[in-house]
Amino acid sequence: MKAANSGVLFLIELGALAGAAYWGFTQDVGASWLLGLAAPAVLVALWALFGSPRAKYKARGAGRVGFEVFWFGAGALALFAAGAQVWAFAFAAVCVVSKTLAVAWSQ
């Protein structure tokens, strides 16, 4: 089960990026392609700075929890804002379950 949850953790990281990209590409602006590329790029930069195992400013403790709520929440909110409410709620639910299991199993 722990190995499966590790895979889910990786997939929800990709899901947050995909949600941000989907939001950007669905915006009704002249350069929606730019938003579709920039939104996940911002999340990648934040992950590299604060969330990755080799982050320069690695978040710990309550700061880590806050960062992850923000980061995964951004993916869910992006889906919601793009009009994919069912996907947003499903994504948020999977994130909560998987991250709860990760804490319980010290992953």
Side-chain angles (χ1 to χ4, degrees):
M1 289 298 290
K2 288 184 180 182
N5 193 49
S6 292
V8 172
L9 289 169
F10 177 68
L11 291 176
I12 62 174
E13 289 172 12
L14 295 178
L17 296 173
Y22 181 73
W23 169 81
F25 286 126
T26 59
Q27 295 307 295
D28 191 22
V29 295
S32 63
W33 64 270
L34 184 60
L35 279 176
L37 296 175
V42 168
L43 287 180
V44 166
L46 289 172
W47 189 259
L49 287 172
F50 305 108
S52 80
R54 294 185 283 163
K56 186 171 184 175
Y57 308 104
K58 188 170 181 140
R60 299 191 193 287
R64 176 69 180 208
V65 172
F67 172 75
E68 288 191 5
V69 166
F70 166 78
W71 203 86
F72 291 109
L77 286 174
L79 286 169
F80 190 85
Q85 287 84 7
V86 173
W87 285 107
F89 286 114
F91 178 71
V94 170
C95 287
V96 168
V97 170
S98 182
K99 294 306 286 184
T100 301
L101 289 173
V103 169
W105 292 335
S106 300
Q107 287 183 301

